[in-house]
Amino acid sequence: MRKKQAATTFRVLCTTTLAGCILAGCASGSGVNEGSATSGTNQGGAPTSETQAPFKLTIMTNLHTPEVPTDAIEKMLEEKTNTDLTINWVPDGSYEEKLNSSFATGSLPQAVYMKNQTTYILFRDAIRNNQFWEIGPFIKDYPNLSKLDELVVKNTAVDGKTYAIYQERPLSRQGIIFRKDWADKLGLAAPKTTDELYNMLKQFKEGDPDGNGKADTMGLTDRSDLVYGAFKTVASYFGTPNNWGLADGKLQPEFMFPQYKETMDFFKKLYDEGLINKDFPVTSKEDQQNLVITGKAGMYIGSMADVQSLHQKTVEINPNALYDVANHISGPDGNAGIWSIPGYGNLVLFPKSSVKSEEELKSILAFFDKLMEPELANLVKWGVPDKHYTIVEGGLVQKAEDTKMTDREQKPYEILQVGGESTIDMLRAYNKLPAKAKAEELIIENNSMLINDPTAALDSKTFGLKGVELQQIINDATYRYILGNLDAAGFDGEIERWKKGGGESIIAEYNESLAKSQ
Amino acid sequence: MKKHDLRRRIMKNKAIYLMILPGLLYFVLFKYFPMWGLVISFQEYRPYDGILGSDWVGFKHYQRLFTEPMFWTIFRNTIILFLMNLIFFFPVPIILAILLNEVRLQAFKRFVQTIVYIPHFMSWVIIVSISFVMVTMDGGMINEGLDAMGMQKINFLLSDEWFRPMYIVQVIWREAGWGTIVYLAAIAAIDPQLYEASRMDGANRFRQIWHITLPSIRSVIVILLILKIGDVLELGFEHVYLLLNAMNRNVAEIFDTYVYTAGLKQGQFSYSTAVGFFKSFVGLVLVMSANWLAKKFGEEGVY
Amino acid sequence: MVHDKTIGGRLFDGAVYVILFLVALVTILPFLHIIAGSLTTVDELAQKRFVLFPTKISWDAYTYIFSTNTIFRSMLVSIGVTGFGTLFSMILTSLMAYGLSRRDLVGRKQLMFMIVFTMLFSGGMIPTFIVVKSLGMIDSYAALIVPTAINAFNLIILRSFFQNLPDGLEESAKIDGCTDWGILFRIVIPLSMPAIATISLFYAVTYWNTYLPAILYIDSAEKWPIQVLLRQIVILASGLTADSSGFSGDFVTPPDQTIKMAVIVVATVPVLLVYPFLQKYFDKGALLGSVKG
């Protein structure tokens, strides 16, 4: 080993390979996986015979649990797909660094997960420049991949071409979680309008809902996130567009609509009357949830599915606590809506630096096609029957009680899933907790009133360059307005700053892109 | 100096050059080779085209930086935080080390030393989250205390007046103990006979500190000061980023946080590199000036 | 030191003890909270937020951490990397620092400037990655050690200590027939033990805290050092990855806060244990009878 290294060092020093390498951008092979594709996979992908050598495949993906999982499920996947699988797990918090440096040095493996939409958008430019395989033309040859939802596939497309296999996400999980026992004590029903929502928060503060005789409760708990926190969801109730909306046939950013201001006024009122935690612009998710778990706040607005973990943690402290969920809340105009995401979470891309031939690409696609077969989809999503889950009434899945065990053996593999419940005939969850079961129903019901982002499949160069830093101006202004540090005129001034800083180009480019797509 | 003289001096120190060689190799390989990376600040760098394939754009990214409306705010914030670091933080480890040196109970000395060195191992995420618990308006200990005393609650987190004090207190809390170690090592190298002699002369403890301890560790202080000045624009990205919010951005946005939002988050390697280059350049100018000053005052300097 | 029995001296002593005691107290409280937090129950921590003395001791967090061998394995990796790395770094650094401390060295000033220059300018992550890759170090422990083998700051400090040794040492050693190597190992290093201990500690701590190189260069999870695990748990438990990753609710259940605290304790204790062993080098007159005798 040492000898070899010394030799390499010597070679590097004596020749200019190194400098040459840096200069040329090193688009050479990754060296991770030299296993050539076996040619036995034909259209449709299944290996022709059982005796064939396993196909070597390396996947890079993000890890969202504390530890790397045991390899039992990986072994089962290998067996069922006749693959020699290597999974490079990368901690969630550092995924971007790993992705960027591996990409720039040509070290990405054959299949690379993108973690989320935000990272994916950063790679648009590279995708356009032929760094990843276009898979659109091949998809139709695979029985399962061809079932992927066309609308979502279109949302992932770059210049109308498909490069990625997506992992399904419910279009909207957003809604309200509140303390039902508090509401019952105060004689309040689940809110149906923004006025009722405000009233519930006020009662939670002033009506002594926990009955301890002290004024020590507040209404809403929120955190430093204008999107996945409460703000954007409440903005939907007021009828604000999702990121961008049409006004007189032209696209405009959400904050230029009067509804956005109404939402800010609503929050300003909550803040001024002490119905929301005073430090919400700097509160972490951990501290936000803590306020509701410990019975200081009575409402949480965000993903309704969070009710499960909130309930578990709350009853450890207060066994009598009870949660309920609500959606379909209408604003002053009488309409109820809810913002949606583009329908995908994670995605997989196939770098040209490591996938050398169309043959190899087809074998890889065959693997992902198999991953969409019900048996394997269940394996990655739920794990091994009678170990990580049991089948209960109605053929639903009851997950194992021992979450620490499932965290270590099965949970990380969920990230590998491609497609999802609407495209695969797979097992579904049984929810013991009524509030969680209701949350799942409401998540489906959300699909009937979605507010979509019209720019999901559009493109703006300036947005790619400066979108994030410009959005910062608006986010800051929104917080400052709510906290009373900025008035309406001041907020408009910040919008002007946004326009001058490049916002005008973004508006123009999106409208151009829209005109092209119609 | 004559040529053959020079050669003789070099030949005489053959062994010394041999000692330096492995280290030199390291610097060339891992520090100077990668400096190729700096040229991308004059390009529109695209990772897949490499440095040879990317287009040259001259000073475009530098122009963007200097015409950035926030530029002077960021510059001012960075300099103010740096000066606070220099004035309020830099002397603390020196004072602490001298105090520790005056303790005669060895057990107590070691106990305190070990304790003050712990916080350095807490990540900023942890420190900031513990601070949050202490100062939040929603039931934080300090505000509850103020409330109990009938005083106004203070919004520490969402105000531009409190950001700097909070920042510097956290820096002192985390790094002061750690910073004492170098000085303690320098103090340990002082010849005890010097103290004996001065006690014979009837010098009291203050005078001993002033005339023996401080002069003996002066060269270490000077070197650390020069190096610290070179870090003028490096203030600990993670720490500031965690404290940064809409209400204190006008005082808390520094180069590192700005680059993170404007460059790295959007994959703009060239722009980030340009900002980095500018920071390095400012650091270099300051280090050279500090070094020149130090030498003027008869100190060693760092080079 | 002989006792200073004057009134002023005693007052001075008293003041020093009081100040240092307060400093220690302020410093230790947050850490006590972390230890207490790792030993308490999840609900007590949630309700009190700041715990110093748990009402009920619970070892759940520790049993969870130690129930698999992941933490042991990454600890071993960290200990190995720290041990070998520190040794490797110290050899390179002391050789170079001694060489550069010699005032008669031709090119000394230029070399020092070159080193200071690297503290200010760096080519960035990607070019360094390419160097590491070209040397065939990807996914090897060498990638955690070699690219950070010499820290310019440590080198400069060590050189400064070497330069502060009394003049004339080398001359007399030379007259006694010592080679340059002999001077370094028999005279300079033994006389600079406080500095050697300090810089070794700096290196050890840097290696112990190594994080980003592990993320960038190591693909196999079994080679991860402890910091990777630590940060992953802290970030997940603080909800920092939050919904931005497109997960939420049932998809990611953050680990308990108590587990976060326990991991911090476990990852910090080993470094704390190292320090007392080095403290004897910081005692006054550790070099008693150094040269003049």
Side-chain angles (χ1 to χ4, degrees):
Chain A
M1 181 74 219
R2 189 157 295 174
K3 237 184 187 153
K4 203 179 107 197
Q5 255 172 32
T8 342
T9 314
F10 184 71
R11 203 182 63 227
V12 165
L13 287 173
C14 292
T15 61
T16 52
T17 40
L18 187 56
C21 202
I22 293 175
L23 290 170
C26 227
S28 57
S30 71
V32 174
N33 189 323
E34 301 299 342
S36 60
T38 42
S39 53
T41 47
N42 40 25
Q43 302 291 346
T48 41
S49 74
E50 279 306 302
T51 53
Q52 203 173 45
F55 171 65
K56 281 187 152 177
L57 174 63
T58 308
I59 296 175
M60 179 167 123
T61 187
N62 51 318
L63 174 73
H64 62 283
T65 59
E67 292 177 36
V68 172
T70 54
D71 63 359
I73 290 183
E74 189 179 332
K75 287 239 171 1
M76 292 165 98
L77 277 177
E78 288 183 322
E79 203 178 311
K80 300 242 194 279
T81 57
N82 192 27
T83 315
D84 175 3
L85 203 55
T86 309
I87 303 176
N88 293 339
W89 299 100
V90 180
D92 213 34
S94 308
Y95 201 66
E96 289 82 352
E97 283 100 332
K98 178 80 173 181
L99 202 55
N100 283 331
S101 58
S102 300
F103 173 61
T105 54
S107 323
L108 287 173
Q110 295 145 292
V112 180
Y113 281 78
M114 283 283 125
K115 184 174 164 182
N116 59 37
Q117 192 197 351
T118 322
T119 350
Y120 178 61
I121 286 173
L122 287 185
F123 276 81
R124 270 189 183 166
D125 187 41
I127 289 170
R128 243 183 229 118
N129 281 281
N130 219 357
Q131 297 302 304
F132 295 92
W133 283 91
E134 188 193 343
I135 58 170
F138 306 113
I139 290 239
K140 60 177 189 315
D141 303 329
Y142 295 89
N144 300 317
L145 293 178
S146 54
K147 288 187 201 144
L148 289 169
D149 188 333
E150 266 180 47
L151 267 179
V152 182
V153 169
K154 192 173 152 248
N155 280 343
T156 69
V158 176
D159 298 341
K161 295 180 188 156
T162 308
Y163 295 86
I165 303 175
Y166 72 87
Q167 176 182 84
E168 191 181 306
R169 280 273 170 277
L171 290 162
S172 178
R173 302 169 181 248
Q174 306 306 309
I176 288 175
I177 301 173
F178 64 96
R179 282 289 291 273
K180 178 133 179 45
D181 51 331
W182 286 15
D184 289 348
K185 179 172 174 290
L186 300 164
L188 296 165
K192 282 278 148 222
T193 65
T194 45
D195 288 341
E196 287 173 18
L197 177 68
Y198 165 78
N199 185 41
M200 179 179 266
L201 293 174
K202 202 165 173 64
Q203 292 293 315
F204 278 176
K205 179 176 166 67
E206 291 164 6
D208 189 23
D210 56 358
N212 67 354
K214 281 187 252 167
D216 57 355
T217 51
M218 66 178 103
L220 178 66
T221 172
D222 198 9
R223 66 171 181 271
S224 62
D225 187 335
L226 289 172
V227 177
Y228 293 95
F231 188 85
K232 196 174 172 79
T233 299
V234 174
S236 289
Y237 300 155
F238 278 94
T240 318
N242 182 358
N243 297 339
W244 289 75
L246 283 167
D248 316 323
K250 277 253 183 265
L251 283 173
Q252 270 195 356
E254 57 181 353
F255 46 84
M256 288 190 183
F257 286 80
Q259 293 91 333
Y260 190 92
K261 280 225 170 77
E262 280 177 53
T263 312
M264 289 201 299
D265 285 326
F266 182 83
F267 271 84
K268 187 165 166 41
K269 198 163 150 192
L270 296 187
Y271 184 81
D272 291 341
E273 297 179 11
L275 308 183
I276 185 173
N277 49 324
K278 275 269 179 278
D279 280 327
F280 81 93
V282 286
T283 302
S284 68
K285 190 174 180 176
E286 166 201 342
D287 290 304
Q288 173 206 18
Q289 294 201 343
N290 217 314
L291 286 170
V292 72
I293 288 164
T294 53
K296 292 194 182 72
M299 191 187 290
Y300 174 96
I301 301 180
S303 165
M304 290 186 279
D306 284 351
V307 74
Q308 177 82 40
S309 61
L310 289 177
H311 172 86
Q312 275 167 351
K313 288 177 176 162
T314 310
V315 290
E316 279 181 18
I317 295 171
N318 174 5
N320 304 321
L322 195 61
Y323 282 108
D324 197 2
V325 287
N327 71 341
H328 207 287
I329 288 165
S330 51
D333 61 352
N335 288 329
I338 193 73
W339 64 281
S340 70
I341 60 168
Y344 63 87
N346 216 329
L347 316 107
V348 199
L349 283 174
F350 311 98
K352 287 201 165 165
S353 62
S354 53
V355 181
K356 292 292 182 209
S357 64
E358 212 167 275
E359 282 309 311
E360 193 181 348
L361 177 71
K362 283 180 178 166
S363 309
I364 298 170
L365 288 174
F367 170 83
F368 283 98
D369 185 62
K370 286 196 205 100
L371 216 46
M372 278 184 75
E373 277 166 14
E375 185 194 6
L376 292 186
N378 289 334
L379 180 65
V380 295
K381 170 84 184 161
W382 303 114
V384 181
D386 300 319
K387 183 164 168 55
H388 304 119
Y389 69 92
T390 45
I391 302 286
V392 291
E393 51 186 292
L396 295 171
V397 167
Q398 165 87 56
K399 292 179 86 168
E401 293 284 317
D402 185 357
T403 50
K404 291 187 167 129
M405 181 269 290
T406 53
D407 269 2
R408 281 175 170 154
E409 295 181 6
Q410 164 268 326
K411 205 160 184 51
Y413 290 104
E414 288 181 15
I415 210 97
L416 296 176
Q417 191 176 50
V418 286
E421 284 186 352
S422 70
T423 47
I424 307 171
D425 179 21
M426 56 191 296
L427 291 167
R428 304 192 174 214
Y430 164 75
N431 290 303
K432 209 153 101 181
L433 182 70
K436 176 69 165 47
K438 187 173 167 188
E440 293 298 337
E441 281 166 32
L442 296 188
I443 287 172
I444 294 166
E445 192 191 298
N446 271 349
N447 291 337
S448 64
M449 50 188 166
L450 295 175
I451 305 174
N452 292 318
D453 177 353
T455 62
L458 302 180
D459 201 31
S460 153
K461 188 164 164 282
T462 313
F463 184 81
L465 283 174
K466 297 185 95 169
V468 178
E469 76 181 282
L470 286 171
Q471 187 57 44
Q472 188 94 62
I473 297 177
I474 301 298
N475 288 356
D476 281 359
T478 305
Y479 281 125
R480 286 171 57 200
Y481 184 92
I482 294 170
L483 268 60
N485 179 289
L486 198 68
D487 57 8
F491 187 80
D492 290 336
E494 294 297 297
I495 293 183
E496 281 309 309
R497 248 184 80 197
W498 178 87
K499 279 186 182 165
K500 282 204 178 53
E504 273 169 353
S505 318
I506 297 179
I507 296 177
E509 286 160 10
Y510 269 142
N511 280 304
E512 213 173 302
S513 180
L514 179 71
K516 252 197 250 166
S517 69
Q518 281 164 345
Chain B
M1 187 183 299
K2 290 199 193 100
K3 239 201 168 105
H4 68 262
D5 235 23
L6 188 72
R7 179 160 329 137
R8 214 184 58 224
R9 271 180 54 198
I10 292 176
M11 289 315 287
K12 196 183 78 176
N13 278 330
K14 254 201 319 230
I16 301 292
Y17 286 109
L18 199 63
M19 288 179 189
I20 292 175
L21 189 66
L24 201 59
L25 213 60
Y26 164 82
F27 277 103
V28 168
L29 205 55
F30 288 100
K31 300 289 175 191
Y32 278 91
F33 254 137
M35 279 198 198
W36 272 113
L38 289 170
V39 307
I40 69 169
S41 68
F42 303 101
Q43 296 183 318
E44 205 57 79
Y45 172 72
R46 309 212 296 205
Y48 45 88
D49 289 336
I51 291 177
L52 276 187
S54 300
D55 301 330
W56 293 89
V57 295
F59 286 90
K60 184 182 145 191
H61 299 292
Y62 294 91
Q63 265 171 336
R64 178 181 162 189
L65 173 64
F66 297 135
T67 54
E68 169 66 35
M70 283 282 280
F71 179 82
W72 288 110
T73 312
I74 296 170
F75 196 79
R76 196 184 60 225
N77 293 342
T78 308
I79 295 291
I80 290 176
L81 279 191
F82 166 70
L83 289 175
M84 285 181 75
N85 252 308
L86 212 54
I87 297 163
F88 298 110
F89 171 72
F90 189 78
V92 175
I94 302 172
I95 296 166
L96 210 52
I98 288 172
L99 286 178
L100 279 167
N101 183 50
E102 294 297 326
V103 172
R104 261 190 249 98
L105 267 176
Q106 281 307 316
F108 181 73
K109 179 180 165 185
R110 287 189 181 182
F111 165 77
V112 174
Q113 260 181 39
T114 306
I115 283 181
V116 296
Y117 136 113
I118 292 175
H120 177 75
F121 296 97
M122 305 285 119
S123 64
W124 284 120
V125 178
I126 302 293
I127 293 173
V128 170
S129 77
I130 291 178
S131 309
F132 181 89
V133 173
M134 288 175 155
V135 303
T136 170
M137 296 279 281
D138 308 302
M141 280 181 300
I142 294 180
N143 273 319
E144 291 298 298
L146 289 172
D147 205 38
M149 289 190 284
M151 288 195 255
Q152 270 283 309
K153 283 190 176 184
I154 299 172
N155 200 336
F156 290 98
L157 299 158
L158 291 164
S159 81
D160 45 11
E161 299 120 53
W162 283 97
F163 163 75
R164 283 172 184 147
M166 234 170 30
Y167 164 87
I168 204 77
V169 164
Q170 286 169 354
V171 168
I172 292 173
W173 185 79
R174 183 176 188 239
E175 302 296 350
W178 178 249
T180 57
I181 296 175
V182 175
Y183 299 116
L184 285 170
I187 291 172
I190 301 173
D191 186 348
Q193 290 168 9
L194 291 174
Y195 288 108
E196 278 306 310
S198 87
R199 274 182 14 85
M200 295 297 167
D201 296 344
N204 67 15
R205 303 273 286 281
F206 276 114
R207 293 194 52 173
Q208 288 182 11
I209 291 174
W210 190 250
H211 289 290
I212 297 164
T213 315
L214 276 172
S216 305
I217 61 173
R218 194 176 58 216
S219 63
V220 175
I221 294 177
V222 169
I223 296 238
L224 285 173
L225 190 60
I226 295 172
L227 295 179
K228 175 118 192 139
I229 286 171
D231 275 348
V232 53
L233 304 183
E234 304 279 339
L235 296 160
F237 159 74
E238 195 185 9
H239 183 199
V240 177
Y241 188 73
L242 288 166
L243 292 174
L244 191 65
N245 60 58
M247 309 306 287
N248 64 20
R249 192 173 305 276
N250 55 336
V251 297
E253 185 91 275
I254 56 172
F255 281 104
D256 294 338
T257 54
Y258 166 73
V259 159
Y260 180 72
T261 327
L264 292 173
K265 258 192 179 171
Q266 299 172 92
Q268 295 185 46
F269 298 113
S270 284
Y271 187 52
S272 311
T273 308
V275 180
F277 199 110
F278 165 73
K279 276 169 45 186
S280 304
F281 184 76
V282 173
L284 183 69
V285 169
L286 284 171
V287 162
M288 289 172 85
S289 320
N291 201 56
W292 177 82
L293 261 177
K295 290 199 147 165
K296 240 186 136 48
F297 283 100
E299 290 293 333
E300 277 280 359
V302 288
Y303 60 85
Chain C
M1 263 184 104
V2 188
H3 268 270
D4 171 2
K5 290 218 172 45
T6 57
I7 300 276
R10 287 196 178 180
L11 276 177
F12 183 89
D13 274 345
V16 167
Y17 279 88
V18 170
I19 292 170
L20 286 178
F21 181 76
L22 288 176
V23 167
L25 191 70
V26 169
T27 313
I28 196 77
L29 278 181
F31 194 64
L32 278 182
H33 155 65
I34 288 174
I35 294 174
S38 70
L39 289 169
T40 181
T41 52
V42 179
D43 45 313
E44 184 181 19
L45 188 60
Q47 274 170 294
K48 290 206 186 135
R49 307 302 318 280
F50 196 85
V51 182
L52 280 180
F53 303 102
T55 40
K56 185 161 89 233
I57 298 269
S58 148
W59 294 94
D60 287 359
Y62 289 95
T63 46
Y64 171 75
I65 293 180
F66 291 117
S67 63
T68 61
N69 56 16
T70 313
I71 196 156
F72 289 116
R73 202 184 48 213
S74 53
M75 280 281 226
L76 273 180
V77 171
S78 277
I79 290 168
V81 166
T82 303
F84 281 107
T86 307
L87 189 68
F88 183 63
S89 291
M90 280 315 288
I91 292 170
L92 288 188
T93 309
S94 24
L95 286 177
M96 199 170 185
Y98 174 63
L100 291 167
S101 72
R102 291 276 291 251
R103 287 183 172 76
D104 57 343
L105 193 77
V106 177
R108 167 169 171 264
K109 195 178 153 171
Q110 290 74 8
L111 282 169
M112 281 315 292
F113 182 78
M114 197 182 123
I115 286 159
V116 172
F117 190 81
T118 64
M119 291 177 79
L120 297 160
F121 289 84
S122 93
M125 200 163 73
I126 289 157
T128 312
F129 191 113
I130 292 175
V131 173
V132 174
K133 197 175 151 175
S134 314
L135 294 173
M137 289 184 185
I138 296 291
D139 211 21
S140 75
Y141 292 127
L144 301 180
I145 294 173
V146 181
T148 51
I150 301 183
N151 175 315
F153 177 87
N154 292 350
L155 178 73
I156 292 167
I157 299 288
L158 193 59
R159 167 182 172 263
S160 157
F161 273 96
F162 287 168
Q163 275 181 340
N164 283 347
L165 287 174
D167 297 332
L169 268 183
E170 284 155 24
E171 289 312 310
S172 51
K174 278 243 159 106
I175 291 162
D176 292 347
C178 264
T179 61
D180 285 322
W181 295 91
I183 295 173
L184 173 61
F185 288 107
R186 287 197 202 141
I187 297 165
V188 174
I189 288 183
L191 287 183
S192 309
M193 274 327 271
I196 297 281
T198 301
I199 304 298
S200 302
L201 178 69
F202 285 1
Y203 274 123
V205 167
T206 311
Y207 281 118
W208 186 260
N209 286 339
T210 191
Y211 173 74
L212 202 60
I215 295 292
L216 297 180
Y217 308 136
I218 302 288
D219 293 325
S220 330
E222 65 270 13
K223 293 180 185 159
W224 278 350
I226 188 85
Q227 295 297 328
V228 175
L229 197 68
L230 172 67
R231 281 188 68 128
Q232 177 77 346
I233 288 182
V234 167
I235 283 174
L236 287 174
S238 310
L240 287 176
T241 53
D243 289 315
S244 55
S245 57
F247 300 126
S248 59
D250 51 349
F251 216 87
V252 173
T253 27
D256 294 334
Q257 298 306 314
T258 52
I259 291 172
K260 172 170 107 179
M261 306 278 191
V263 173
I264 296 169
V265 172
V266 170
T268 314
V269 162
V271 218
L272 293 182
L273 293 179
V274 171
Y275 192 44
F277 288 106
L278 294 175
Q279 285 184 343
K280 65 167 185 282
Y281 296 112
F282 299 127
D283 288 350
K284 235 178 291 190
L287 308 172
L288 206 54
S290 50
V291 265
K292 298 212 170 60

